[in-house]
Every structure is written in structure tokens, then in C-alpha cells.
Amino acid sequence: MEYSKQKLLLALLVKFEISFNKQINESVVNQEVGQYLKTSVDELVQKQYCGSLFDKKIEELISRIDSERLDNKLVLNDYSSRLWTAILEIIKRTTSFETAYSLIDILGEKNTSLKL
């Protein structure tokens, strides 16, 4: 995937990780995923992967989170859920106007900012 899309995904994953770990994580599944998410996103940010290595790391992270969400009833609050949906849409295809407007709406809430 192209570099600009990788940067967008990374910025969204950082927002998602922060949002996810701020919600009440009483279940064991949520606590384990929260730790995995924090470690994985921190690694992506610090090591600044790019190209196919970035794609591979993202694929592993997306696969794990989605699997936990579908199979083990991972709980997401509304904001985290909307971010996750946007992340999945960006992964599936090139960014459409619908996805772009969705991102503007999501990131316009709670005085968030997106630094690329």
C-alpha cells in the first residue's frame, strides 16, 4: 500500500489504541487485547516500518483484533467502533469520499486532531 495510506492507517491506529485503552476494560479479553494493541502500535510508531513490512505488521494486528472482536466478543465503545470501521474500510480499498467524510466526522469529535 502507498506511503500516504500507511501514514493515515498508523495515525488512526494510534487514535484507536488510545480510545480503546481509555474505555473501561473489565473483561480479560479486553485487557489482553489492550496490552497487545498498545505494544503493537508503539512498535509501529517507534520502528517506523514502511512498505511490505508495514503491510505485514498491519495485517497481523488487524487480523488479531478482528478475530477477538468477532470470536471472543471484544467490546468497543462507540468512538472506538467507528474508528475500527474506518480502519477496515481503508484496508479493504482505496479511500473513497464516503470514508474520507466518515473520518472527518469521527476525528471532528472530542476535539481530536490527526497529525500526519
Side-chain angles (χ1 to χ4, degrees), residues 18-53:
I18 292 168
S19 174
F20 181 81
N21 281 316
K22 280 186 178 178
Q23 70 185 28
I24 298 171
N25 293 325
E26 294 178 2
S27 75
V28 173
V29 172
N30 274 41
Q31 290 176 4
E32 289 173 358
V33 169
Q35 186 57 43
Y36 169 76
L37 189 58
K38 178 154 183 48
T39 303
S40 298
V41 170
D42 286 349
E43 179 184 355
L44 286 168
V45 168
Q46 291 173 0
K47 297 197 176 177
Q48 297 183 0
Y49 296 120
C50 59
S52 61
L53 185 56

Side-chain angles (χ1 to χ4, degrees), residues 2 28 37 40 55 63 67 69 82 95 104 114-115:
E2 62 271 358
V28 173
L37 189 58
S40 298
D55 294 348
S63 164
S67 172
R69 189 174 62 89
R82 290 172 58 201
T95 307
I104 290 167
L114 182 64
K115 295 180 182 176

Side-chain angles (χ1 to χ4, degrees), residues 64-95:
R64 165 94 189 262
I65 301 298
D66 228 24
S67 172
E68 293 290 345
R69 189 174 62 89
L70 299 172
D71 300 338
N72 295 326
K73 309 295 186 224
L74 181 69
V75 178
L76 300 176
N77 65 21
D78 182 56
Y79 185 69
S80 295
S81 181
R82 290 172 58 201
L83 277 170
W84 188 251
T85 302
I87 289 167
L88 292 178
E89 288 298 315
I90 290 169
I91 292 288
K92 282 191 236 179
R93 65 180 194 280
T94 49
T95 307

Side-chain angles (χ1 to χ4, degrees), residues 101-116:
Y101 286 122
S102 176
L103 287 173
I104 290 167
D105 183 46
I106 292 168
L107 297 172
E109 291 182 1
K110 298 183 180 182
N111 296 323
T112 60
S113 65
L114 182 64
K115 295 180 182 176
L116 297 177

